[in-house]
Amino acid sequence: MVKDSSYTLADVRVGEEDGIPFVETEGTEDFDLRAVMECGQCFRFTPVAGTSHRCEYSGVAHGRFISVAEDEGTLRFYNTDIREFGSLWLGYFGLDTDYAAIKRDILSRSDRPVLGEAVAAGGGIRILRQDAWEALCSFIISQNNNIPRIRGLISAISEKYGTPIDCRGLASHGARDTEYAFPAAAALAAAGTGALAALKTGFRAKYIYDAARRVSDGTLDLTAVAGAATTAEAADMLMTVAGVGPKVAACTLLFGFSRLDAFPVDVWIKRVIAKSFPGDFDAAALGPYAGVAQQYLFYHERERSHGAD
């Protein structure tokens, strides 16, 4: 991962608005909040209605409620302070990573016109550093599902089994009085398949339970997955869970373990490969940031398709 050594906490300012603390950054490049939140990499953030900012999304990550607003060249993070911002959100949102260098690396790997188009269209996407267990469970839930329903299921599971978060006073930034952290694996393992199915998870209930049981009893050691020598080895570990195939494993590794070479292949990417990379396509040829390239290609194809509707 290319670290952005030019970015320091000296580049941010702190303040308070209507009693809510915030941290604000200016001059952030290669960051498009809407693209980050709408590219299918996370399911806990939703747009804030009636915001005074050009764009604002709020949600729960790592057991904390955060709201992020974007204006021209400025990002404002509500409900946090400089200490928490530096220890959590700076890394979570990839603000410590040089995405300009990542894009140069990706573009050096192929002269396919679609790659340049995709980087231009989706170049504001940054890979969020999500909790590994939450990412695994979320992408199990995502199978054969649409984003609104995925969000609804994850919200229902969190409300039933997650730890409450006091969000009183944050309604103007999209929060209810109580939000909920994503539940620990042990909580879902204790719930059992039947209780998970009762939340309308369908066939996924047995897969969620198997993942929760394996993580909670140590059969699947997520620390070992993180430390695997290769992304392929890490994927093999994850695929010991019932219902976890190559796509779910790749999504989990890309978004939950910062394995930026992991390359999930879904219907959108299959379409891109068929149209723009005929012959033998090798994701590894896109280099150590193939997963970032995947997000650019995915976003570009989906936006282009929706624009043609």
mmCIF file with all atom_site columns, all heavy atoms in Angstrom, residues 22 43 46 130 190 221 232 257 260 306:
data_model
loop_
_atom_site.group_PDB
_atom_site.id
_atom_site.type_symbol
_atom_site.label_atom_id
_atom_site.label_alt_id
_atom_site.label_comp_id
_atom_site.label_asym_id
_atom_site.label_entity_id
_atom_site.label_seq_id
_atom_site.pdbx_PDB_ins_code
_atom_site.Cartn_x
_atom_site.Cartn_y
_atom_site.Cartn_z
_atom_site.occupancy
_atom_site.B_iso_or_equiv
_atom_site.pdbx_formal_charge
_atom_site.auth_seq_id
_atom_site.auth_comp_id
_atom_site.auth_asym_id
_atom_site.auth_atom_id
_atom_site.pdbx_PDB_model_num
ATOM 1  N N   . PHE A 1 22  ? -16.594 18.210  15.337  1.00 0.00 ? 22  PHE A N   1
ATOM 2  C CA  . PHE A 1 22  ? -16.219 17.722  14.014  1.00 0.00 ? 22  PHE A CA  1
ATOM 3  C C   . PHE A 1 22  ? -14.735 17.933  13.768  1.00 0.00 ? 22  PHE A C   1
ATOM 4  O O   . PHE A 1 22  ? -14.073 18.743  14.424  1.00 0.00 ? 22  PHE A O   1
ATOM 5  C CB  . PHE A 1 22  ? -17.048 18.390  12.909  1.00 0.00 ? 22  PHE A CB  1
ATOM 6  C CG  . PHE A 1 22  ? -16.798 19.865  12.721  1.00 0.00 ? 22  PHE A CG  1
ATOM 7  C CD1 . PHE A 1 22  ? -15.672 20.339  12.049  1.00 0.00 ? 22  PHE A CD1 1
ATOM 8  C CD2 . PHE A 1 22  ? -17.716 20.799  13.197  1.00 0.00 ? 22  PHE A CD2 1
ATOM 9  C CE1 . PHE A 1 22  ? -15.449 21.690  11.870  1.00 0.00 ? 22  PHE A CE1 1
ATOM 10 C CE2 . PHE A 1 22  ? -17.504 22.166  13.022  1.00 0.00 ? 22  PHE A CE2 1
ATOM 11 C CZ  . PHE A 1 22  ? -16.368 22.600  12.358  1.00 0.00 ? 22  PHE A CZ  1
ATOM 12 N N   . PHE A 1 43  ? -22.218 -1.381  3.601   1.00 0.00 ? 43  PHE A N   1
ATOM 13 C CA  . PHE A 1 43  ? -23.676 -1.388  3.637   1.00 0.00 ? 43  PHE A CA  1
ATOM 14 C C   . PHE A 1 43  ? -24.249 -0.701  4.868   1.00 0.00 ? 43  PHE A C   1
ATOM 15 O O   . PHE A 1 43  ? -25.438 -0.805  5.137   1.00 0.00 ? 43  PHE A O   1
ATOM 16 C CB  . PHE A 1 43  ? -24.175 -2.837  3.576   1.00 0.00 ? 43  PHE A CB  1
ATOM 17 C CG  . PHE A 1 43  ? -23.597 -3.617  2.437   1.00 0.00 ? 43  PHE A CG  1
ATOM 18 C CD1 . PHE A 1 43  ? -22.586 -4.547  2.657   1.00 0.00 ? 43  PHE A CD1 1
ATOM 19 C CD2 . PHE A 1 43  ? -24.023 -3.406  1.142   1.00 0.00 ? 43  PHE A CD2 1
ATOM 20 C CE1 . PHE A 1 43  ? -22.031 -5.263  1.606   1.00 0.00 ? 43  PHE A CE1 1
ATOM 21 C CE2 . PHE A 1 43  ? -23.474 -4.107  0.080   1.00 0.00 ? 43  PHE A CE2 1
ATOM 22 C CZ  . PHE A 1 43  ? -22.474 -5.046  0.313   1.00 0.00 ? 43  PHE A CZ  1
ATOM 23 N N   . THR A 1 46  ? -25.742 5.544   4.767   1.00 0.00 ? 46  THR A N   1
ATOM 24 C CA  . THR A 1 46  ? -26.829 6.009   3.915   1.00 0.00 ? 46  THR A CA  1
ATOM 25 C C   . THR A 1 46  ? -26.761 7.534   3.789   1.00 0.00 ? 46  THR A C   1
ATOM 26 O O   . THR A 1 46  ? -26.197 8.218   4.654   1.00 0.00 ? 46  THR A O   1
ATOM 27 C CB  . THR A 1 46  ? -28.200 5.616   4.495   1.00 0.00 ? 46  THR A CB  1
ATOM 28 O OG1 . THR A 1 46  ? -28.293 6.083   5.855   1.00 0.00 ? 46  THR A OG1 1
ATOM 29 C CG2 . THR A 1 46  ? -28.388 4.101   4.462   1.00 0.00 ? 46  THR A CG2 1
ATOM 30 N N   . GLN A 1 130 ? -12.547 -1.807  6.545   1.00 0.00 ? 130 GLN A N   1
ATOM 31 C CA  . GLN A 1 130 ? -13.641 -2.262  7.390   1.00 0.00 ? 130 GLN A CA  1
ATOM 32 C C   . GLN A 1 130 ? -13.193 -3.366  8.342   1.00 0.00 ? 130 GLN A C   1
ATOM 33 O O   . GLN A 1 130 ? -12.160 -4.005  8.140   1.00 0.00 ? 130 GLN A O   1
ATOM 34 C CB  . GLN A 1 130 ? -14.783 -2.750  6.508   1.00 0.00 ? 130 GLN A CB  1
ATOM 35 C CG  . GLN A 1 130 ? -15.338 -1.672  5.577   1.00 0.00 ? 130 GLN A CG  1
ATOM 36 C CD  . GLN A 1 130 ? -16.423 -2.181  4.662   1.00 0.00 ? 130 GLN A CD  1
ATOM 37 O OE1 . GLN A 1 130 ? -17.468 -2.641  5.108   1.00 0.00 ? 130 GLN A OE1 1
ATOM 38 N NE2 . GLN A 1 130 ? -16.190 -2.109  3.360   1.00 0.00 ? 130 GLN A NE2 1
ATOM 39 N N   . ALA A 1 190 ? -24.295 -17.867 19.068  1.00 0.00 ? 190 ALA A N   1
ATOM 40 C CA  . ALA A 1 190 ? -25.213 -18.220 20.145  1.00 0.00 ? 190 ALA A CA  1
ATOM 41 C C   . ALA A 1 190 ? -26.662 -18.138 19.690  1.00 0.00 ? 190 ALA A C   1
ATOM 42 O O   . ALA A 1 190 ? -27.522 -18.893 20.174  1.00 0.00 ? 190 ALA A O   1
ATOM 43 C CB  . ALA A 1 190 ? -24.991 -17.296 21.342  1.00 0.00 ? 190 ALA A CB  1
ATOM 44 N N   . ASP A 1 221 ? -9.332  -18.455 12.130  1.00 0.00 ? 221 ASP A N   1
ATOM 45 C CA  . ASP A 1 221 ? -8.589  -17.407 12.830  1.00 0.00 ? 221 ASP A CA  1
ATOM 46 C C   . ASP A 1 221 ? -8.390  -16.232 11.881  1.00 0.00 ? 221 ASP A C   1
ATOM 47 O O   . ASP A 1 221 ? -7.572  -16.301 10.951  1.00 0.00 ? 221 ASP A O   1
ATOM 48 C CB  . ASP A 1 221 ? -7.244  -17.963 13.296  1.00 0.00 ? 221 ASP A CB  1
ATOM 49 C CG  . ASP A 1 221 ? -6.426  -16.961 14.117  1.00 0.00 ? 221 ASP A CG  1
ATOM 50 O OD1 . ASP A 1 221 ? -6.793  -15.767 14.125  1.00 0.00 ? 221 ASP A OD1 1
ATOM 51 O OD2 . ASP A 1 221 ? -5.427  -17.381 14.721  1.00 0.00 ? 221 ASP A OD2 1
ATOM 52 N N   . ALA A 1 232 ? -4.120  -15.543 -2.194  1.00 0.00 ? 232 ALA A N   1
ATOM 53 C CA  . ALA A 1 232 ? -4.717  -16.836 -2.538  1.00 0.00 ? 232 ALA A CA  1
ATOM 54 C C   . ALA A 1 232 ? -4.811  -17.732 -1.300  1.00 0.00 ? 232 ALA A C   1
ATOM 55 O O   . ALA A 1 232 ? -5.820  -18.419 -1.090  1.00 0.00 ? 232 ALA A O   1
ATOM 56 C CB  . ALA A 1 232 ? -3.898  -17.512 -3.630  1.00 0.00 ? 232 ALA A CB  1
ATOM 57 N N   . PHE A 1 257 ? -9.716  -6.769  4.783   1.00 0.00 ? 257 PHE A N   1
ATOM 58 C CA  . PHE A 1 257 ? -8.323  -7.071  5.121   1.00 0.00 ? 257 PHE A CA  1
ATOM 59 C C   . PHE A 1 257 ? -7.323  -6.200  4.373   1.00 0.00 ? 257 PHE A C   1
ATOM 60 O O   . PHE A 1 257 ? -6.118  -6.415  4.476   1.00 0.00 ? 257 PHE A O   1
ATOM 61 C CB  . PHE A 1 257 ? -8.020  -8.543  4.826   1.00 0.00 ? 257 PHE A CB  1
ATOM 62 C CG  . PHE A 1 257 ? -8.696  -9.519  5.760   1.00 0.00 ? 257 PHE A CG  1
ATOM 63 C CD1 . PHE A 1 257 ? -9.977  -9.972  5.505   1.00 0.00 ? 257 PHE A CD1 1
ATOM 64 C CD2 . PHE A 1 257 ? -8.049  -9.981  6.899   1.00 0.00 ? 257 PHE A CD2 1
ATOM 65 C CE1 . PHE A 1 257 ? -10.611 -10.872 6.356   1.00 0.00 ? 257 PHE A CE1 1
ATOM 66 C CE2 . PHE A 1 257 ? -8.664  -10.887 7.761   1.00 0.00 ? 257 PHE A CE2 1
ATOM 67 C CZ  . PHE A 1 257 ? -9.951  -11.327 7.485   1.00 0.00 ? 257 PHE A CZ  1
ATOM 68 N N   . LEU A 1 260 ? -5.320  -5.333  -1.366  1.00 0.00 ? 260 LEU A N   1
ATOM 69 C CA  . LEU A 1 260 ? -5.699  -4.526  -2.525  1.00 0.00 ? 260 LEU A CA  1
ATOM 70 C C   . LEU A 1 260 ? -5.480  -5.229  -3.857  1.00 0.00 ? 260 LEU A C   1
ATOM 71 O O   . LEU A 1 260 ? -5.859  -4.696  -4.903  1.00 0.00 ? 260 LEU A O   1
ATOM 72 C CB  . LEU A 1 260 ? -4.950  -3.191  -2.498  1.00 0.00 ? 260 LEU A CB  1
ATOM 73 C CG  . LEU A 1 260 ? -5.236  -2.291  -1.295  1.00 0.00 ? 260 LEU A CG  1
ATOM 74 C CD1 . LEU A 1 260 ? -4.582  -0.927  -1.487  1.00 0.00 ? 260 LEU A CD1 1
ATOM 75 C CD2 . LEU A 1 260 ? -6.732  -2.127  -1.045  1.00 0.00 ? 260 LEU A CD2 1
ATOM 76 N N   . HIS A 1 306 ? -26.399 2.431   -16.090 1.00 0.00 ? 306 HIS A N   1
ATOM 77 C CA  . HIS A 1 306 ? -27.549 3.175   -15.569 1.00 0.00 ? 306 HIS A CA  1
ATOM 78 C C   . HIS A 1 306 ? -27.819 4.431   -16.388 1.00 0.00 ? 306 HIS A C   1
ATOM 79 O O   . HIS A 1 306 ? -28.960 4.820   -16.576 1.00 0.00 ? 306 HIS A O   1
ATOM 80 C CB  . HIS A 1 306 ? -27.307 3.555   -14.118 1.00 0.00 ? 306 HIS A CB  1
ATOM 81 C CG  . HIS A 1 306 ? -27.341 2.367   -13.192 1.00 0.00 ? 306 HIS A CG  1
ATOM 82 N ND1 . HIS A 1 306 ? -26.915 2.425   -11.884 1.00 0.00 ? 306 HIS A ND1 1
ATOM 83 C CD2 . HIS A 1 306 ? -27.749 1.092   -13.399 1.00 0.00 ? 306 HIS A CD2 1
ATOM 84 C CE1 . HIS A 1 306 ? -27.054 1.227   -11.325 1.00 0.00 ? 306 HIS A CE1 1
ATOM 85 N NE2 . HIS A 1 306 ? -27.542 0.408   -12.222 1.00 0.00 ? 306 HIS A NE2 1
#
